[in-house]
Amino acid sequence: MVIETEENRRDFLILATSAVGVAGTAGAAWPFIRSWSPSADVLAQATTEVNIGALAEGQMITIPWQGKPVFVLHRTPEQIEQAKDGDFEKLPDFAKDETRVQKKQYLVLLALCTHLGCVPQPIGTGDFGGFLCPCHGSHYDTSGRIRKGPAPANLAVPYYAFKDDQTLVIGKPV
Ligand code: FES
């Protein structure tokens, strides 16, 4: 999804809000979506640009990238603090929050549970303020780290870069 102009900000906001609303059903829908064969030109598209300028604090959108869902969350100060708290606990897949984000307010995650690949539910659904994978009850925190349940590893962080303050680019240019 590429949203490039200021004129599109309102549309993007509506889209982003809708994206949060439908994210809860994404877990059920994604296996069907994944079963579709993406065309060769889609697979060849290494990067996806996301306009984050209209992504308000606390909002999350799900972006399709390379046939997979990616969560982009504009974290609140509380969510950032919650993520720091986890740094001092014994985590199954220890990682400091600061190593998982480039800008502390933006969390970018490959939205595939590391247990068996379900799509976790949106931010705020898990026991630690983060993401719940309802398939078998894995709870990820506000840094996408596994805190409880059968998942063996944290949600992966895809390669991404900030093109500018308004634009996030997911994926690596080829
Ligand atoms: S696939 Fe997520 S907990 Fe099993």
Side-chain angles (χ1 to χ4, degrees), residues 13-66:
L13 192 54
I14 292 167
L15 175 63
T17 305
S18 301
V20 171
V22 299
T25 59
W30 202 264
F32 298 107
I33 295 169
R34 279 196 300 168
S35 71
W36 299 342
S37 296
S39 60
D41 60 326
V42 169
L43 283 175
Q45 189 180 9
T47 61
T48 298
E49 285 195 12
V50 184
N51 185 328
I52 53 171
L55 193 61
E57 213 173 80
Q59 279 191 313
M60 190 191 94
I61 51 175
T62 304
I63 303 294
W65 171 70
Q66 295 271 322

Short mmCIF file of all heavy atoms in Angstrom, two decimals, residues 13-66:
data_model
loop_
_atom_site.label_atom_id
_atom_site.label_comp_id
_atom_site.label_asym_id
_atom_site.label_seq_id
_atom_site.Cartn_x
_atom_site.Cartn_y
_atom_site.Cartn_z
N LEU A 13 -6.59 7.81 7.10
CA LEU A 13 -7.01 7.67 8.49
C LEU A 13 -8.21 6.73 8.58
O LEU A 13 -8.27 5.86 9.45
CB LEU A 13 -7.38 9.04 9.05
CG LEU A 13 -7.57 9.12 10.55
CD1 LEU A 13 -6.35 8.59 11.28
CD2 LEU A 13 -7.84 10.56 10.96
N ILE A 14 -9.14 6.90 7.66
CA ILE A 14 -10.30 6.01 7.63
C ILE A 14 -9.85 4.58 7.39
O ILE A 14 -10.26 3.65 8.07
CB ILE A 14 -11.30 6.46 6.54
CG1 ILE A 14 -11.92 7.80 6.95
CG2 ILE A 14 -12.38 5.40 6.32
CD1 ILE A 14 -12.67 8.49 5.83
N LEU A 15 -8.93 4.44 6.46
CA LEU A 15 -8.42 3.11 6.15
C LEU A 15 -7.72 2.51 7.36
O LEU A 15 -7.91 1.35 7.69
CB LEU A 15 -7.44 3.21 4.97
CG LEU A 15 -6.71 1.93 4.57
CD1 LEU A 15 -7.72 0.90 4.11
CD2 LEU A 15 -5.71 2.20 3.50
N ALA A 16 -6.90 3.33 8.04
CA ALA A 16 -6.15 2.83 9.19
C ALA A 16 -7.11 2.39 10.29
O ALA A 16 -6.93 1.35 10.91
CB ALA A 16 -5.21 3.92 9.70
N THR A 17 -8.14 3.20 10.52
CA THR A 17 -9.11 2.84 11.55
C THR A 17 -9.80 1.55 11.18
O THR A 17 -10.00 0.67 12.00
CB THR A 17 -10.14 3.98 11.70
OG1 THR A 17 -9.42 5.18 11.96
CG2 THR A 17 -11.08 3.71 12.84
N SER A 18 -10.15 1.44 9.91
CA SER A 18 -10.80 0.22 9.45
C SER A 18 -9.87 -0.96 9.60
O SER A 18 -10.28 -2.05 9.98
CB SER A 18 -11.21 0.36 7.99
OG SER A 18 -12.08 1.45 7.85
N ALA A 19 -8.59 -0.71 9.33
CA ALA A 19 -7.63 -1.80 9.42
C ALA A 19 -7.56 -2.34 10.84
O ALA A 19 -7.49 -3.55 11.05
CB ALA A 19 -6.24 -1.31 8.96
N VAL A 20 -7.59 -1.44 11.82
CA VAL A 20 -7.56 -1.88 13.20
C VAL A 20 -8.82 -2.68 13.49
O VAL A 20 -8.80 -3.71 14.14
CB VAL A 20 -7.44 -0.68 14.15
CG1 VAL A 20 -7.63 -1.12 15.60
CG2 VAL A 20 -6.08 -0.02 13.98
N GLY A 21 -9.94 -2.20 12.96
CA GLY A 21 -11.21 -2.87 13.21
C GLY A 21 -11.26 -4.27 12.65
O GLY A 21 -11.83 -5.17 13.27
N VAL A 22 -10.67 -4.45 11.49
CA VAL A 22 -10.76 -5.77 10.88
C VAL A 22 -9.60 -6.67 11.26
O VAL A 22 -9.62 -7.85 10.96
CB VAL A 22 -10.82 -5.67 9.33
CG1 VAL A 22 -12.03 -4.90 8.90
CG2 VAL A 22 -9.54 -5.10 8.76
N ALA A 23 -8.63 -6.11 11.97
CA ALA A 23 -7.45 -6.92 12.30
C ALA A 23 -7.82 -8.15 13.12
O ALA A 23 -7.19 -9.18 13.02
CB ALA A 23 -6.41 -6.08 13.02
N GLY A 24 -8.86 -8.02 13.94
CA GLY A 24 -9.27 -9.13 14.77
C GLY A 24 -9.72 -10.32 13.95
O GLY A 24 -9.59 -11.46 14.38
N THR A 25 -10.24 -10.06 12.78
CA THR A 25 -10.68 -11.17 11.94
C THR A 25 -9.58 -11.64 11.01
O THR A 25 -9.72 -12.66 10.35
CB THR A 25 -11.90 -10.76 11.09
OG1 THR A 25 -11.53 -9.64 10.30
CG2 THR A 25 -13.09 -10.43 11.96
N ALA A 26 -8.49 -10.91 11.02
CA ALA A 26 -7.41 -11.26 10.10
C ALA A 26 -6.84 -12.63 10.41
O ALA A 26 -6.43 -13.35 9.52
CB ALA A 26 -6.30 -10.21 10.13
N GLY A 27 -6.80 -12.97 11.70
CA GLY A 27 -6.25 -14.26 12.07
C GLY A 27 -6.96 -15.40 11.38
O GLY A 27 -6.35 -16.37 10.95
N ALA A 28 -8.26 -15.27 11.26
CA ALA A 28 -9.02 -16.33 10.61
C ALA A 28 -8.89 -16.22 9.11
O ALA A 28 -8.89 -17.23 8.40
CB ALA A 28 -10.48 -16.22 11.02
N ALA A 29 -8.79 -15.00 8.61
CA ALA A 29 -8.81 -14.80 7.16
C ALA A 29 -7.48 -15.08 6.51
O ALA A 29 -7.43 -15.50 5.36
CB ALA A 29 -9.25 -13.37 6.85
N TRP A 30 -6.39 -14.84 7.22
CA TRP A 30 -5.09 -14.89 6.56
C TRP A 30 -4.74 -16.24 5.95
O TRP A 30 -4.18 -16.31 4.86
CB TRP A 30 -3.99 -14.43 7.51
CG TRP A 30 -2.83 -13.98 6.71
CD1 TRP A 30 -1.72 -14.70 6.37
CD2 TRP A 30 -2.66 -12.70 6.09
NE1 TRP A 30 -0.90 -13.95 5.58
CE2 TRP A 30 -1.44 -12.73 5.41
CE3 TRP A 30 -3.44 -11.55 6.07
CZ2 TRP A 30 -0.98 -11.63 4.69
CZ3 TRP A 30 -2.97 -10.46 5.36
CH2 TRP A 30 -1.76 -10.52 4.68
N PRO A 31 -5.08 -17.36 6.62
CA PRO A 31 -4.76 -18.63 5.96
C PRO A 31 -5.36 -18.75 4.58
O PRO A 31 -4.74 -19.30 3.68
CB PRO A 31 -5.36 -19.66 6.92
CG PRO A 31 -5.34 -18.98 8.24
CD PRO A 31 -5.64 -17.52 7.93
N PHE A 32 -6.58 -18.18 4.39
CA PHE A 32 -7.18 -18.23 3.07
C PHE A 32 -6.44 -17.31 2.12
O PHE A 32 -6.17 -17.65 0.98
CB PHE A 32 -8.66 -17.83 3.15
CG PHE A 32 -9.46 -18.76 4.02
CD1 PHE A 32 -9.89 -18.36 5.27
CD2 PHE A 32 -9.74 -20.06 3.60
CE1 PHE A 32 -10.61 -19.22 6.07
CE2 PHE A 32 -10.46 -20.93 4.40
CZ PHE A 32 -10.89 -20.51 5.64
N ILE A 33 -6.09 -16.13 2.63
CA ILE A 33 -5.37 -15.17 1.78
C ILE A 33 -4.02 -15.76 1.39
O ILE A 33 -3.59 -15.67 0.26
CB ILE A 33 -5.19 -13.83 2.53
CG1 ILE A 33 -6.55 -13.19 2.77
CG2 ILE A 33 -4.28 -12.90 1.75
CD1 ILE A 33 -6.53 -12.01 3.69
N ARG A 34 -3.37 -16.40 2.36
CA ARG A 34 -2.06 -16.96 2.10
C ARG A 34 -2.11 -18.07 1.05
O ARG A 34 -1.13 -18.35 0.39
CB ARG A 34 -1.45 -17.52 3.39
CG ARG A 34 -0.81 -16.46 4.25
CD ARG A 34 0.09 -17.07 5.28
NE ARG A 34 -0.62 -17.97 6.16
CZ ARG A 34 -0.03 -18.80 7.00
NH1 ARG A 34 1.26 -18.87 7.06
NH2 ARG A 34 -0.76 -19.57 7.79
N SER A 35 -3.28 -18.72 0.94
CA SER A 35 -3.37 -19.83 0.02
C SER A 35 -3.50 -19.34 -1.42
O SER A 35 -3.32 -20.10 -2.35
CB SER A 35 -4.56 -20.73 0.38
OG SER A 35 -5.77 -20.07 0.08
N TRP A 36 -3.82 -18.04 -1.60
CA TRP A 36 -3.84 -17.51 -2.95
C TRP A 36 -2.41 -17.40 -3.44
O TRP A 36 -1.50 -17.07 -2.69
CB TRP A 36 -4.48 -16.11 -2.98
CG TRP A 36 -5.89 -16.09 -2.51
CD1 TRP A 36 -6.75 -17.14 -2.39
CD2 TRP A 36 -6.62 -14.95 -2.05
NE1 TRP A 36 -7.95 -16.72 -1.91
CE2 TRP A 36 -7.91 -15.39 -1.69
CE3 TRP A 36 -6.29 -13.60 -1.94
CZ2 TRP A 36 -8.87 -14.53 -1.20
CZ3 TRP A 36 -7.25 -12.73 -1.46
CH2 TRP A 36 -8.53 -13.20 -1.10
N SER A 37 -2.24 -17.64 -4.71
CA SER A 37 -0.89 -17.53 -5.25
C SER A 37 -0.65 -16.11 -5.71
O SER A 37 -1.28 -15.66 -6.66
CB SER A 37 -0.72 -18.48 -6.43
OG SER A 37 -0.85 -19.80 -5.99
N PRO A 38 0.26 -15.38 -5.06
CA PRO A 38 0.54 -14.03 -5.53
C PRO A 38 1.20 -14.08 -6.89
O PRO A 38 1.94 -15.01 -7.19
CB PRO A 38 1.48 -13.46 -4.47
CG PRO A 38 2.02 -14.64 -3.74
CD PRO A 38 1.05 -15.77 -3.90
N SER A 39 0.90 -13.08 -7.71
CA SER A 39 1.49 -13.05 -9.04
C SER A 39 2.98 -12.77 -8.94
O SER A 39 3.48 -12.30 -7.94
CB SER A 39 0.80 -11.97 -9.87
OG SER A 39 0.99 -10.72 -9.24
N ALA A 40 3.65 -13.07 -10.03
CA ALA A 40 5.10 -12.92 -10.04
C ALA A 40 5.52 -11.48 -9.77
O ALA A 40 6.51 -11.24 -9.09
CB ALA A 40 5.64 -13.39 -11.38
N ASP A 41 4.74 -10.51 -10.31
CA ASP A 41 5.14 -9.12 -10.11
C ASP A 41 4.98 -8.71 -8.65
O ASP A 41 5.75 -7.89 -8.14
CB ASP A 41 4.37 -8.17 -11.04
CG ASP A 41 2.87 -8.24 -10.81
OD1 ASP A 41 2.37 -9.33 -10.49
OD2 ASP A 41 2.22 -7.20 -10.96
N VAL A 42 4.00 -9.31 -7.96
CA VAL A 42 3.84 -9.00 -6.54
C VAL A 42 5.03 -9.57 -5.76
O VAL A 42 5.61 -8.91 -4.89
CB VAL A 42 2.51 -9.58 -6.00
CG1 VAL A 42 2.46 -9.50 -4.47
CG2 VAL A 42 1.34 -8.82 -6.60
N LEU A 43 5.39 -10.80 -6.08
CA LEU A 43 6.51 -11.41 -5.38
C LEU A 43 7.81 -10.66 -5.65
O LEU A 43 8.69 -10.61 -4.80
CB LEU A 43 6.67 -12.87 -5.83
CG LEU A 43 5.65 -13.83 -5.22
CD1 LEU A 43 5.83 -15.21 -5.81
CD2 LEU A 43 5.80 -13.89 -3.71
N ALA A 44 7.91 -10.09 -6.83
CA ALA A 44 9.14 -9.38 -7.17
C ALA A 44 9.24 -8.03 -6.47
O ALA A 44 10.31 -7.44 -6.39
CB ALA A 44 9.22 -9.18 -8.67
N GLN A 45 8.12 -7.55 -5.97
CA GLN A 45 8.13 -6.24 -5.31
C GLN A 45 8.76 -6.38 -3.93
O GLN A 45 8.18 -6.93 -3.01
CB GLN A 45 6.71 -5.71 -5.18
CG GLN A 45 6.65 -4.28 -4.70
CD GLN A 45 5.21 -3.80 -4.59
OE1 GLN A 45 4.28 -4.57 -4.70
NE2 GLN A 45 5.05 -2.53 -4.34
N ALA A 46 9.97 -5.92 -3.83
CA ALA A 46 10.72 -6.15 -2.59
C ALA A 46 10.29 -5.23 -1.47
O ALA A 46 10.41 -5.57 -0.31
CB ALA A 46 12.21 -5.98 -2.86
N THR A 47 9.79 -4.05 -1.81
CA THR A 47 9.49 -3.08 -0.77
C THR A 47 8.05 -2.59 -0.86
O THR A 47 7.44 -2.62 -1.92
CB THR A 47 10.42 -1.85 -0.87
OG1 THR A 47 10.23 -1.23 -2.13
CG2 THR A 47 11.89 -2.25 -0.70
N THR A 48 7.56 -2.15 0.27
CA THR A 48 6.24 -1.54 0.35
C THR A 48 6.36 -0.26 1.15
O THR A 48 6.91 -0.27 2.26
CB THR A 48 5.24 -2.48 1.05
OG1 THR A 48 5.11 -3.67 0.27
CG2 THR A 48 3.87 -1.83 1.19
N GLU A 49 5.88 0.84 0.59
CA GLU A 49 5.93 2.12 1.30
C GLU A 49 4.64 2.32 2.09
O GLU A 49 3.56 2.01 1.59
CB GLU A 49 6.11 3.28 0.32
CG GLU A 49 7.52 3.38 -0.22
CD GLU A 49 7.80 4.72 -0.88
OE1 GLU A 49 6.99 5.66 -0.73
OE2 GLU A 49 8.84 4.82 -1.55
N VAL A 50 4.78 2.82 3.28
CA VAL A 50 3.63 3.08 4.15
C VAL A 50 3.70 4.52 4.63
O VAL A 50 4.73 4.94 5.16
CB VAL A 50 3.66 2.14 5.39
CG1 VAL A 50 2.40 2.34 6.22
CG2 VAL A 50 3.81 0.69 4.98
N ASN A 51 2.61 5.25 4.44
CA ASN A 51 2.55 6.62 4.97
C ASN A 51 2.17 6.53 6.44
O ASN A 51 1.05 6.14 6.77
CB ASN A 51 1.53 7.44 4.19
CG ASN A 51 1.53 8.89 4.63
OD1 ASN A 51 1.78 9.20 5.80
ND2 ASN A 51 1.25 9.79 3.72
N ILE A 52 3.09 6.88 7.29
CA ILE A 52 2.82 6.80 8.73
C ILE A 52 2.46 8.16 9.30
O ILE A 52 2.21 8.28 10.49
CB ILE A 52 4.03 6.22 9.49
CG1 ILE A 52 5.30 7.00 9.16
CG2 ILE A 52 4.18 4.74 9.20
CD1 ILE A 52 6.48 6.62 10.03
N GLY A 53 2.40 9.16 8.43
CA GLY A 53 2.10 10.51 8.89
C GLY A 53 0.73 10.64 9.53
O GLY A 53 0.54 11.46 10.42
N ALA A 54 -0.22 9.85 9.07
CA ALA A 54 -1.58 9.93 9.61
C ALA A 54 -1.86 8.85 10.64
O ALA A 54 -3.00 8.71 11.08
CB ALA A 54 -2.59 9.82 8.47
N LEU A 55 -0.84 8.10 10.99
CA LEU A 55 -1.04 7.03 11.97
C LEU A 55 -0.92 7.63 13.38
O LEU A 55 0.17 7.92 13.85
CB LEU A 55 0.02 5.94 11.75
CG LEU A 55 -0.17 4.60 12.44
CD1 LEU A 55 -1.46 3.91 12.00
CD2 LEU A 55 1.03 3.69 12.17
N ALA A 56 -2.05 7.81 14.00
CA ALA A 56 -2.08 8.47 15.31
C ALA A 56 -1.51 7.55 16.39
O ALA A 56 -1.48 6.32 16.23
CB ALA A 56 -3.51 8.86 15.66
N GLU A 57 -1.11 8.16 17.46
CA GLU A 57 -0.61 7.40 18.61
C GLU A 57 -1.65 6.37 19.03
O GLU A 57 -2.83 6.69 19.17
CB GLU A 57 -0.37 8.38 19.76
CG GLU A 57 0.77 8.00 20.66
CD GLU A 57 1.02 9.12 21.65
OE1 GLU A 57 0.27 9.20 22.65
OE2 GLU A 57 1.94 9.92 21.42
N GLY A 58 -1.22 5.16 19.20
CA GLY A 58 -2.12 4.08 19.60
C GLY A 58 -2.76 3.33 18.44
O GLY A 58 -3.37 2.30 18.63
N GLN A 59 -2.60 3.86 17.21
CA GLN A 59 -3.20 3.19 16.05
C GLN A 59 -2.25 2.16 15.46
O GLN A 59 -1.02 2.33 15.50
CB GLN A 59 -3.54 4.20 14.96
CG GLN A 59 -4.85 4.93 15.20
CD GLN A 59 -5.27 5.72 13.97
OE1 GLN A 59 -4.47 6.43 13.38
NE2 GLN A 59 -6.51 5.58 13.60
N MET A 60 -2.85 1.14 14.90
CA MET A 60 -2.08 0.08 14.27
C MET A 60 -2.70 -0.26 12.93
O MET A 60 -3.92 -0.24 12.80
CB MET A 60 -2.10 -1.16 15.16
CG MET A 60 -1.14 -2.25 14.73
SD MET A 60 -1.44 -3.81 15.62
CE MET A 60 -2.52 -4.62 14.45
N ILE A 61 -1.88 -0.51 11.95
CA ILE A 61 -2.39 -0.97 10.65
C ILE A 61 -1.68 -2.26 10.28
O ILE A 61 -0.58 -2.54 10.76
CB ILE A 61 -2.19 0.08 9.53
CG1 ILE A 61 -0.75 0.58 9.49
CG2 ILE A 61 -3.16 1.23 9.70
CD1 ILE A 61 -0.47 1.52 8.33
N THR A 62 -2.36 -3.03 9.46
CA THR A 62 -1.77 -4.27 8.95
C THR A 62 -1.50 -4.09 7.47
O THR A 62 -2.41 -3.78 6.70
CB THR A 62 -2.73 -5.46 9.17
OG1 THR A 62 -3.04 -5.55 10.56
CG2 THR A 62 -2.07 -6.77 8.72
N ILE A 63 -0.25 -4.25 7.10
CA ILE A 63 0.18 -4.02 5.72
C ILE A 63 0.57 -5.35 5.08
O ILE A 63 1.34 -6.10 5.68
CB ILE A 63 1.43 -3.09 5.71
CG1 ILE A 63 1.14 -1.77 6.42
CG2 ILE A 63 1.93 -2.86 4.29
CD1 ILE A 63 0.12 -0.91 5.74
N PRO A 64 0.05 -5.65 3.91
CA PRO A 64 0.54 -6.85 3.23
C PRO A 64 1.90 -6.58 2.59
O PRO A 64 2.08 -5.57 1.91
CB PRO A 64 -0.53 -7.13 2.17
CG PRO A 64 -1.20 -5.82 1.93
CD PRO A 64 -1.02 -4.97 3.16
N TRP A 65 2.82 -7.46 2.87
CA TRP A 65 4.16 -7.31 2.30
C TRP A 65 4.69 -8.69 1.93
O TRP A 65 4.74 -9.57 2.78
CB TRP A 65 5.11 -6.63 3.31
CG TRP A 65 6.53 -6.64 2.88
CD1 TRP A 65 7.10 -5.93 1.86
CD2 TRP A 65 7.59 -7.43 3.45
NE1 TRP A 65 8.43 -6.23 1.77
CE2 TRP A 65 8.75 -7.14 2.72
CE3 TRP A 65 7.65 -8.34 4.50
CZ2 TRP A 65 9.98 -7.75 3.01
CZ3 TRP A 65 8.86 -8.95 4.79
CH2 TRP A 65 10.01 -8.64 4.05
N GLN A 66 5.02 -8.87 0.68
CA GLN A 66 5.54 -10.14 0.20
C GLN A 66 4.60 -11.30 0.55
O GLN A 66 5.05 -12.39 0.92
CB GLN A 66 6.93 -10.39 0.81
CG GLN A 66 7.98 -9.42 0.36
CD GLN A 66 8.70 -9.87 -0.90
OE1 GLN A 66 8.97 -11.04 -1.09
NE2 GLN A 66 9.00 -8.94 -1.78
#
